[in-house]
Amino acid sequence: MEEFWNSRYKEKKFAYGKAPNQFFKDTIDNYNLQGSILLPAEGEGRNAVYAAQKGFNVTAFDISVEGKNKAEALASQNNTKISYTIGELHHFNFKHNSFDVIALIYAHFPKDRLQLHRQLAELVKPNGYIILEGFSKEHLLYREKHPSVGGPANPNLLFTKEEIQHTFKNFEIIRLEQTETVLKEGDYHNGLANVIRFIGKKTDY
């Protein structure tokens, strides 16, 4: 997977554009979120940089060195600072209840997703938030009709509302929906997509 993502992010253009994901942006803005934020699988940094511009203390990680290089360059271009590390979640010693927000934007982990999501949930502070947008299992039909919309071809990497509700059961559901949306994100997310969107607020103490 490192080779795949390094190849994609090595291109001069930003694979998914420089603008933040619209759902992520709207959530940050409309809920007036602030504090510390963790962005796993952050790629080229478009969401991390936006969060930094909004005053967040940003921590991000990915498996791609090329993604990190472009993210740091984007941060510099926008006069912001982000902390970006290479690795997977188990490589880091993040403490429980240490982030105000965790954002999973098209973070389709190839293995142990349930366990990873539950570990990430433990990192959220009480009354903190998880923001998630990713392709639903029904998205495969959309991908077949319009390959330019992107997304995994493996159905095991795709989400359902039921899975999200079960995985993040210690979170108050602020928003959980499966919906169609038109993506206009760089060269690899273009067209009508079927996605899961989740905003959850941690309720356990």
Side-chain angles (χ1 to χ4, degrees):
M1 291 303 294
E2 289 94 334
E3 183 178 352
F4 172 84
W5 289 112
N6 278 328
S7 176
R8 175 161 292 185
Y9 295 149
K10 197 171 184 178
E11 298 174 10
K12 185 175 181 180
K13 291 178 67 176
F14 277 63
Y16 302 101
K18 296 182 179 181
N21 169 264
Q22 191 63 48
F23 177 66
F24 173 77
K25 179 182 183 298
D26 290 344
T27 303
I28 292 294
D29 293 348
N30 294 339
Y31 288 86
N32 194 29
L33 302 183
Q34 56 187 321
S36 58
I37 187 169
L38 176 66
L39 297 111
E42 175 52 8
E44 297 164 306
R46 61 195 178 112
N47 299 309
V49 169
Y50 183 76
Q53 290 175 315
K54 298 294 288 187
F56 274 95
N57 179 9
V58 178
T59 301
F61 67 87
D62 200 287
I63 59 174
S64 170
V65 172
E66 297 293 343
K68 176 179 186 288
N69 291 340
K70 287 172 85 171
E72 291 179 339
L74 185 63
S76 179
Q77 291 168 15
N78 286 275
N79 298 312
T80 59
K81 292 184 178 180
I82 61 174
S83 174
Y84 196 123
T85 310
I86 297 298
E88 300 180 45
L89 181 61
H90 67 271
H91 294 142
F92 310 116
N93 190 29
F94 296 131
K95 295 181 180 180
H96 288 190
N97 303 329
S98 56
F99 294 98
D100 295 291
V101 181
I102 291 181
L104 296 161
I105 306 300
Y106 296 100
H108 293 272
F109 297 111
K111 59 183 179 180
D112 302 324
R113 184 172 70 216
L114 178 61
Q115 180 181 352
L116 281 167
H117 279 179
R118 288 181 171 169
Q119 290 173 342
L120 288 167
E122 292 176 348
L123 304 181
V124 181
K125 295 178 182 179
N127 295 314
Y129 289 80
I130 282 183
I131 304 168
L132 180 148
E133 179 172 286
F135 294 112
S136 77
K137 289 192 180 293
E138 290 186 24
H139 179 70
L140 285 177
L141 299 175
Y142 293 69
R143 189 180 185 274
E144 289 175 5
K145 293 179 180 178
H146 304 286
S148 63
V149 75
N154 183 347
N156 293 326
L157 301 184
L158 304 175
F159 301 120
T160 66
K161 286 172 57 179
E162 291 75 17
E163 174 196 336
I164 297 303
Q165 186 171 6
H166 174 71
T167 304
F168 298 109
K169 56 188 176 182
N170 291 332
F171 285 72
E172 175 190 353
I173 295 174
I174 307 299
R175 181 174 177 179
L176 177 59
E177 64 180 5
Q178 179 178 334
T179 187
E180 289 185 343
T181 188
V182 176
L183 296 177
K184 297 179 181 178
E185 300 182 327
D187 288 341
Y188 294 97
H189 278 177
N190 277 289
L192 185 65
N194 195 287
V195 303
I196 300 295
R197 288 172 172 164
F198 173 62
I199 304 170
K201 184 177 182 180
K202 192 170 185 179
T203 57
D204 63 334
Y205 288 85

